[in-house]
Amino acid sequence: MDLKQNLKKRKEIINCALNEYLKFNSKSPRIIQRAMRYSVFSGGKRLRPILVLCSAEICRKAEYKKALGPACALEMIHTYSLIHDDLPAMDNDDYRRNKLTCHKKFGEAMAILAGDALLTYAFQIVADDPWVKKELIGELAKAAGKEKMLGGQVEDIQNSKCRIKKLKFKKERIKIAGKINYIHTCKTGALIKTGLKIGAMAVKAPVRKIEALEKYGENIGLAFQIMDDVLDVIGNKEKLGKRGSDSDNNKLTYPLIYGVEKSNKKAKKLIEKAKENLTVFGEKADILHKIADYIINREY
Ligand code: GRG
């Protein structure tokens, strides 16, 4: 099966499970359920939950469905972060995936609440899942919290006024390069890396396999954000589904510091490094090799 078909099949499994978790019911106001569903089903690639399932599958194929709850929880956390990231107080974006952002469709208050509801529901899902151990819940919380995704977002906002002229001194460049790695690793990399970890944890994989997958995740996570920065500069806005907003928002990005060509090279190196960690899985990891390549070749 080629990669496109493989990803499509996995996406269908995930969408089906997400649909079950987010079925309309009478337990909460309809408007919040609509806002949650609107953002979850607005055309995301499902990269993170796909990685959770792949990780579980290459460790213990027969049991991969045990990772479905954690995979959906991770996608809900990702969606919450995007809803909040689009808000006027943050990136102030009107469109995501070529659709109105949650606050443009439902108003700011409802978008904040939809994000909050997705974040809390994600933890309800894993806490209620009979297959899930409490360590996995801790991993999810750490990845989303102040030391990782949220911390990265804080640094991103605080450094968004960084002026290019500051970068003319070597010392300054080194400091900024460290900062940008921290931001990307925490803001974007943490959820991706944790996806690979929790997939393996869900099927009780041995520690050495979990660690190998984590290292793979760390490298593809950073490469993913570098490519996101590059696409923000040179990507097709129609395909990306949003305006390129990093430069408008004075964001600290890889192309800003290294230029597009060097950023591409850095991402390629990270992908090669990521693949080195898959040796232990042999051919079973074929899909993860292909996903790694897709990350640097994607158009959106
Ligand atoms: C707690 C107030 C509050 C806000 C949280 C942490 C945070 C806001 C935002 C950080 C999340 C963010 C925007 C990270 C950038 C990562 C990124 C490249 C997102 C896009 O990922 P894709 O391309 O998205 O996988 P799709 O659309 O495919 O789901």
Side-chain angles (χ1 to χ4, degrees), residues 3-225:
L3 181 68
K4 213 170 157 190
Q5 270 184 305
N6 196 316
L7 295 182
K8 191 170 166 239
K9 198 188 87 189
R10 288 170 203 274
K11 210 171 153 178
E12 276 164 15
I13 296 172
I14 290 152
N15 283 345
C16 210
L18 281 169
N19 195 34
E20 276 301 307
Y21 282 123
L22 291 165
K23 248 194 187 138
F24 284 110
N25 61 42
S26 54
K27 291 179 192 159
S28 62
R30 183 123 180 139
I31 180 79
I32 194 69
Q33 298 185 56
R34 278 182 50 220
M36 289 162 82
R37 285 189 63 93
Y38 176 79
S39 289
V40 169
F41 294 106
S42 65
K45 295 184 287 295
R46 309 290 192 224
L47 174 70
R48 294 152 193 80
I50 286 174
L51 287 169
V52 177
L53 294 189
C54 290
S55 175
E57 199 179 301
I58 71 168
C59 291
R60 280 205 177 92
K61 194 172 172 138
E63 293 180 26
Y64 86 94
K65 285 212 166 146
K66 287 182 180 167
L68 207 42
C72 291
L74 191 64
E75 184 67 4
M76 287 185 199
I77 294 173
H78 165 64
T79 310
Y80 129 78
S81 81
L82 300 182
I83 295 174
H84 281 196
D85 194 56
D86 291 335
L87 287 168
M90 299 218 188
D91 276 4
N92 193 19
D93 275 314
D94 292 353
Y95 289 91
R96 176 170 292 278
R97 304 157 174 161
N98 282 322
K99 287 181 85 176
L100 286 175
T101 45
C102 195
H103 65 275
K104 280 284 157 191
K105 178 90 180 165
F106 292 92
E108 219 175 308
M110 217 41 75
I112 293 171
L113 293 170
D116 293 342
L118 285 167
L119 177 63
T120 43
Y121 190 37
F123 285 97
Q124 186 182 333
I125 287 170
V126 279
D128 285 349
D129 189 327
W131 303 111
V132 167
K133 289 240 181 315
K134 78 175 189 342
E135 288 78 9
L136 189 155
I137 305 176
E139 288 299 331
L140 266 185
K142 240 190 287 167
K146 65 186 187 316
E147 284 160 29
K148 297 292 174 188
M149 185 174 76
L150 205 135
Q153 176 78 350
V154 170
E155 283 291 342
D156 194 21
I157 290 170
Q158 289 209 306
N159 286 281
S160 63
K161 293 283 176 278
C162 164
R163 299 262 177 258
I164 187 87
K165 63 178 179 224
K166 263 188 165 181
L167 304 177
K168 65 183 174 209
F169 301 111
K170 198 174 172 203
K171 219 169 106 190
E172 202 55 49
R173 288 182 79 92
I174 295 171
K175 213 168 107 191
I176 297 287
K179 187 78 86 183
I180 196 173
N181 272 339
Y182 172 82
I183 293 172
H184 284 15
T185 307
C186 292
K187 191 182 83 165
T188 309
L191 281 201
I192 292 179
K193 175 178 169 182
T194 300
L196 285 136
K197 184 169 193 179
I198 62 173
M201 282 173 82
V203 296
K204 297 191 183 67
V207 175
R208 76 188 165 91
K209 288 193 175 173
I210 297 179
E211 284 175 356
L213 286 161
E214 265 190 285
K215 281 188 194 136
Y216 163 87
E218 199 171 308
N219 287 302
I220 64 159
L222 181 53
F224 184 84
Q225 183 58 53

Side-chain angles (χ1 to χ4, degrees), residues 177 180-181 219 222-223 226-227 254 258-273 296:
I180 196 173
N181 272 339
N219 287 302
L222 181 53
I226 295 175
M227 289 318 292
Y254 256 75
Y258 301 103
V260 167
E261 202 180 317
K262 265 198 181 163
S263 302
N264 272 324
K265 273 192 189 151
K266 171 83 181 162
K268 265 190 194 145
K269 260 199 182 149
L270 285 163
I271 292 302
E272 290 317 311
K273 238 171 113 182
I296 42 172

